[in-house]
Amino acid sequence: MDLVIEGRAFVKGRLSNWCIGIEDGRIVEVAKNLRGEEHVDYGQMLVLPAAIDPHVHLRDPGLTAKEDFSTGTLAAAFGGVGCVLDMPNTIPPATSLADLREKKRTIAGKAWTDYGLFAGCIPGGKLEEMAPHAVGFKMFMGSSTGKLLVAEERDRARIGQAVKATGKVLSVHAEEEALIGKEREQDIRDHLRNRPFQAEVAAIDRLSALGCRVNVCHLSSAAGLNAASKYNFTKEVTAHHLFLDRDNERGAFAKVNPPLRTRDDRFALMKAFLDGRIDMLASDHAPHTIEDKSQEFDIAPSGMPGVETQVPLMLALVKKGALPLDVLVRAMAERPAEVFSLKKGRIEEGRDADLMVVDTRALGGIKVNNLHSKCGWTLYEGFDAIFPYATYVRGHKVVEDGAIAGERGGRDVVVGP
Ligand code: DOR
Ligand code: ZN
Ligand code: ZN
């Protein structure tokens, strides 16, 4: 065995002392005692499956002033994330086989974590061609950053059929374009008026007709949560919709789609998350430069960074006793692995050795200067958090004790023919 990691590991749904045996990046055995060429004993620290973030925008290619695959995945690794699934609204967008291949060439060798790429759905797109190269498909039902809007019911129906034939999941930005207002916006409340919760509910109700596997991205309202729960969809929630609402006075820095809503919406989502009723925690990491965000509210782009902070925020809730650890592990690792068919997400034989090591005593405040996204800002300054002590990707230590600890060796989880 190349490596044995020992500690209070989360195995079969609970914490106990275990040795995790690793060979060629895979977990080959989990036992009370194991010997390996290298043995690392983390004592009382927790060893958890690394998180899988099923929704990031790493901006590569084309928007690399905001982020690139190197900085984005490094931020992920510092936040306990071992694998990111990247969205297609880049420049050019990843909406054809050629674009997807070109994107893969551009980002090759840059990643610190593993990654998968979503293929973007556009009217007339050849989805079957892209399927073998993509971890899933993405459809925007309402306009947001980029030009991937699918507003016509006929086009959505065709996309649903095509995705169904591939057997892959369709992750959806569910805001109904027809219900999004275009009034000039001066602040977050205007933004919310233009993008009411009814737009989220209407979009979700329409999805039931598609017939393919549907994942509803970034639920933002109590009504949207209820709507999505009626169907056999999987559901994502972001940290920003759990920790922030329309009372956050940060101007365009808090502008995001779907918008931050009321305190009641936030509490309903948080309750559902704590109860384990939301499948996946997803950052929707959408970095924009400080310059982009400092423009007038109306023209500033929507989106905020979050890939590095979402797990640390949640670990602080675990420490305070508000969030059961098994609920967090399920939402940050087990469910994303199941939904997107990844051999990751659990500490068990046959899975990739993607792990995070957590010192639960290390509760501290988030400081922007300690973060690694290229965008250089966060809405969580001062929030309680526990950053993982170390993150491993396929048995390779990537970060430890707040510093880079290894080589970048991130791989694409979908290598097409
Ligand atoms: O606020 C958002 N930002 N929502 C999206 O759907 C896209 C994202 C981005 O890429 O900036
Ligand atoms: Zn979205
Ligand atoms: Zn997104």
Side-chain angles (χ1 to χ4, degrees), residues 124-261:
K126 294 188 178 151
L127 306 190
E128 63 294 341
E129 260 181 34
M130 292 190 279
H133 306 269
V135 75
F137 289 94
K138 174 69 182 284
M139 178 167 78
F140 284 90
M141 295 172 83
S143 47
S144 195
T145 307
K147 299 201 170 72
L148 296 183
L149 176 64
V150 185
E152 298 293 329
E153 275 305 285
R154 246 187 340 179
D155 293 322
R156 292 171 182 171
R158 276 200 210 108
I159 286 166
Q161 283 307 306
V163 172
K164 185 176 181 189
T166 71
K168 302 237 165 184
V169 175
L170 182 64
S171 275
V172 182
H173 182 112
E175 285 187 284
E176 180 53 65
E177 182 65 13
L179 299 182
I180 297 177
K182 305 282 186 235
E183 297 300 313
R184 203 183 135 72
E185 299 174 1
Q186 298 205 35
D187 57 26
I188 192 170
R189 286 179 178 246
D190 291 346
H191 190 57
L192 182 50
R193 263 190 289 278
N194 272 339
R195 305 183 81 113
F197 72 84
Q198 288 89 345
E200 183 165 82
V201 172
I204 290 168
D205 280 334
R206 292 214 162 136
L207 283 170
S208 60
L210 292 190
C212 62
R213 293 171 67 199
V214 169
N215 174 43
V216 182
C217 295
H218 44 51
L219 279 167
S220 63
S221 64
L225 169 67
N226 290 340
S229 303
K230 286 191 295 188
Y231 308 107
N232 197 17
F233 303 154
T234 55
K235 308 186 267 297
E236 278 175 21
V237 72
T238 66
H240 51 267
H241 291 111
L242 297 178
F243 284 93
L244 309 172
D245 54 44
R246 67 175 182 189
D247 297 327
N248 189 281
E249 302 286 341
R250 295 296 303 273
F253 287 86
K255 183 180 179 186
V256 64
N257 298 328
L260 302 179
R261 300 188 190 273

Side-chain angles (χ1 to χ4, degrees), residues 103-140:
K103 178 167 179 174
K104 289 191 179 209
R105 272 194 292 275
T106 307
I107 63 182
K110 289 189 183 176
W112 292 89
T113 64
D114 281 354
Y115 56 92
L117 302 185
F118 280 96
C121 297
I122 49 169
K126 294 188 178 151
L127 306 190
E128 63 294 341
E129 260 181 34
M130 292 190 279
H133 306 269
V135 75
F137 289 94
K138 174 69 182 284
M139 178 167 78
F140 284 90

